[in-house]
Amino acid sequence: MTDSTAEAVESFRLRARAWLAENMPRVDVDAVPPPPGDDDAEWVRTRELQKKLYAGGFAGICFPSEYGGLGLTPEHQRAFSEESEGYEMPLLLNVPTFSICAPTIMDMGSEQQKRERVSAAIRGDEILVQFLSEPSGGSDLAGLVTRADRDGDTWVLNGAKTWSTCAYAADYALCLARTDWDAPKHRGLTMFLVKVHQPGITMRRITQVSGSTEFCEEFFDDLVLPADAVVGEVNGGWAVASRQLFHERTAVGGGSPFTSGRGTGRVSQPKPDLVQIARASGRTADPRVREMLGEGHALEKVQEQLIHRVSIGLETGQMPSPAASIMRLAHAETDWRVDDLALEIAGGLAVSGEGPGRVGDNFLMRQGASLGGGSTEMSRNIISERILGMPREYAADRDVPFSQVKRGSS
Ligand SMILES: Cc1cc2nc3c(=O)[nH]c(=O)nc-3n(C[C@H](O)[C@H](O)[C@H](O)COP(=O)(O)OP(=O)(O)OC[C@H]3O[C@@H](n4cnc5c(N)ncnc54)[C@H](O)[C@@H]3O)c2cc1C
C-alpha cells in the first residue's frame, strides 16, 4: 500500500531512467552464454546487481517500506521494468525469491520472518527457494510424506524433496512437511523456513538432458529446526502452501507485481526472438516463415493482454485468486508454441547451436513450462472447479486420516 506522499509514476520513471543510465551495466548482446550448469558466477553477479538496486533506492518496489521495500504500486514497478530493458538486472531473483517466497512470507509469516528474510532478500543478501515436490510426486502436494516430529521446543525433519530450482545457490527454503499423520492430508501439514546449507541436509544437483544442473534434490536426516522456523500455524501449512501456489501461478503466468525487470530467467537463456532467428537462418522472405513470425507476434500480444486483464482483475478483487491459473496455463501454451516456432524457423541452426539464442536447449526444456509452477492439467482442474463451477474431481482420500490412506504398494 502506498501513502498519499508517494511519488507520481511519471516522476519515478524519469528518476529511474536517469539512475539506470548512470549506474547499471548494459546487457552485452554479443557475450557468449556460459555452458548450462556452469552458472555459479551468474549468482555472484545477481547478488551484486541486487545490492546495486538496493543502494540506489530501486529495490523491492512493491514491498512495504518497513521490510526494506519502497511501498509503491504495480504501476511504479511496471514503469521501472520498462525502463530497465537493455540493462543487466538480477532477473534470477524474480522467481522464486521475490515473486513467490517473499510475498508468501509477507502474507503468512511472523513479524520476525518478514523483518529478517524479506529484508535480507531485498538487500541482495539472501536467496529464497521452494522445497515442495517430492520423489513420490508433485501434483498431489498435500499427499507429501516428508515428516517433521516435535521434540521439545524443536522439530526434527526427515524425508526428501526434489526439483528445487537453484537451491544450491540459496540461503533459505520454504519447506512443507507432515506434522500430524492422523489428520486428513490437507490438515496435517506445516510450513517451515529452512536454512538450506547446514548439517542434516544432503543436496545433490540433477543433470538434465540439456546439461543444466539447476535442479536439486535434498535429503533430510534428523535435521533439527527451531520452533520459530514454523511459518503460519502448526498443522496450518496448507493455508500457507495455498498462498504460495497462488503467488507461484501468478509469477509463472507473468503477472506478479514483485518481479523487477523484463523476464524471470537467465540472461544467457533469453526467450527466443523469432525475427532474429529468421534473419540468422536467412529465411525472412519465406512466406511460411513470415506466417510463423506473425503467429509468434500475435501470441505475444494476446498473452500480454491476458496478463494485463487477469492481473488487474486480481489486484482489484474482481477476479478470484484461482484466476491466476488462467495466466499460468496461457504461459505454458504460448511457450510451447514459441519454442516450436523457433525450432522450425531455425532449422539446422537449432541443432548446431549456432545462431542467436539457445533454440535447441530451449526446445529440450520445452515441457518444463507445463510442469514448473504446477502442471497445466492441475491448472485446468482449478479453472474448471473453482472458476467455472464444474464438479470436483473424485478423491478417495478426502477426509480420511492420512495414516489410513493407501499409498504406493500399501
Ligand atoms: C522448470 C521447473 C521448475 C520447478 N521448480 C520447483 C521448485 O523450485 N520446487 C519444487 O518443489 N518443485 C519444483 N518443480 C516441480 C513441479 O512443481 C512438479 O514437476 C509439478 O508439480 C508436477 O509434479 P510431478 O513432476 O511430480 O508430476 P506428477 O505429479 O507425478 O504428475 C505426472 C503427470 O500426471 C498429471 N496429473 C497428476 N495428477 C493429476 C490430476 N489429479 N488430474 C490430471 N492430471 C494429473 C500431471 O499433470 C502430470 O502431467 C519444478 C518443475 C519444473 C519443470
Side-chain angles (χ1 to χ4, degrees), residues 96 100 129-141 161-167 174 208 214-216 218 244-245 248 328 365 367-379 381 393-394:
I100 304 177
V129 291
Q130 314 192 80
F131 288 172
L132 298 176
S133 306
E134 300 194 353
S136 53
S139 298
D140 182 21
L141 182 60
K161 296 285 176 180
T162 190
W163 310 126
S164 332
T165 309
C166 297
L174 283 168
Q208 296 175 68
E214 70 173 19
F215 283 129
C216 299
E218 301 80 25
Q244 190 170 341
L245 294 175
E248 180 166 46
R328 187 267 165 275
M365 193 55 194
Q367 220 54 31
S370 63
L371 288 167
S375 75
T376 44
E377 286 83 4
M378 298 311 282
S379 293
N381 285 351
E393 185 183 13
Y394 170 71

Side-chain angles (χ1 to χ4, degrees), residues 126-300:
E126 287 182 6
I127 291 165
L128 307 169
V129 291
Q130 314 192 80
F131 288 172
L132 298 176
S133 306
E134 300 194 353
S136 53
S139 298
D140 182 21
L141 182 60
L144 58 79
V145 291
T146 288
R147 61 186 305 143
D149 297 291
R150 209 190 273 270
D151 181 15
D153 283 345
T154 62
W155 293 89
V156 181
L157 193 69
N158 280 286
K161 296 285 176 180
T162 190
W163 310 126
S164 332
T165 309
C166 297
Y168 66 92
D171 300 280
Y172 281 87
L174 283 168
C175 177
L176 193 60
R178 188 162 303 283
T179 41
D180 183 349
W181 294 71
D182 294 324
K185 66 177 183 179
H186 293 89
R187 283 182 248 151
L189 301 167
T190 302
M191 188 70 80
F192 294 91
L193 252 173
V194 176
K195 210 169 179 196
V196 170
H197 300 284
Q198 59 168 318
I201 302 186
T202 307
M203 182 181 289
R204 284 211 299 252
R205 287 171 74 165
I206 301 171
T207 304
Q208 296 175 68
V209 66
S210 63
S212 163
T213 55
E214 70 173 19
F215 283 129
C216 299
E217 54 185 347
E218 301 80 25
F219 303 91
F220 311 117
D221 294 296
D222 292 332
L223 174 66
V224 178
L225 300 173
D228 64 7
V230 171
V231 181
E233 302 291 322
V234 171
N235 294 328
W238 189 248
V240 185
S242 300
R243 205 57 203 153
Q244 190 170 341
L245 294 175
F246 162 73
H247 286 302
E248 180 166 46
R249 289 171 191 133
T250 308
V252 170
S256 172
F258 301 107
T259 57
S260 197
R262 290 277 170 92
T264 54
R266 319 197 106 88
V267 176
S268 57
Q269 278 170 313
K271 280 187 83 165
D273 180 335
L274 298 181
V275 174
Q276 225 189 341
I277 295 167
R279 286 202 184 109
S281 58
R283 300 178 66 196
T284 45
D286 180 332
R288 175 68 192 121
V289 169
R290 296 177 80 83
E291 251 176 44
M292 289 193 279
L293 293 179
E295 185 184 344
H297 185 68
L299 279 171
E300 197 183 308

Side-chain angles (χ1 to χ4, degrees), residues 332-396:
E333 300 265 341
T334 309
D335 253 37
W336 294 333
R337 187 63 191 140
V338 170
D339 280 340
D340 290 351
L341 291 172
L343 188 84
E344 214 174 322
I345 296 170
L349 287 184
V351 183
S352 66
E354 293 158 25
R358 287 184 172 273
V359 178
D361 285 341
N362 284 343
F363 185 74
L364 290 177
M365 193 55 194
R366 168 194 193 278
Q367 220 54 31
S370 63
L371 288 167
S375 75
T376 44
E377 286 83 4
M378 298 311 282
S379 293
R380 287 181 202 279
N381 285 351
I382 293 167
I383 293 166
S384 63
E385 292 174 16
R386 299 205 223 139
I387 300 177
L388 302 177
M390 291 165 82
R392 278 183 82 173
E393 185 183 13
Y394 170 71

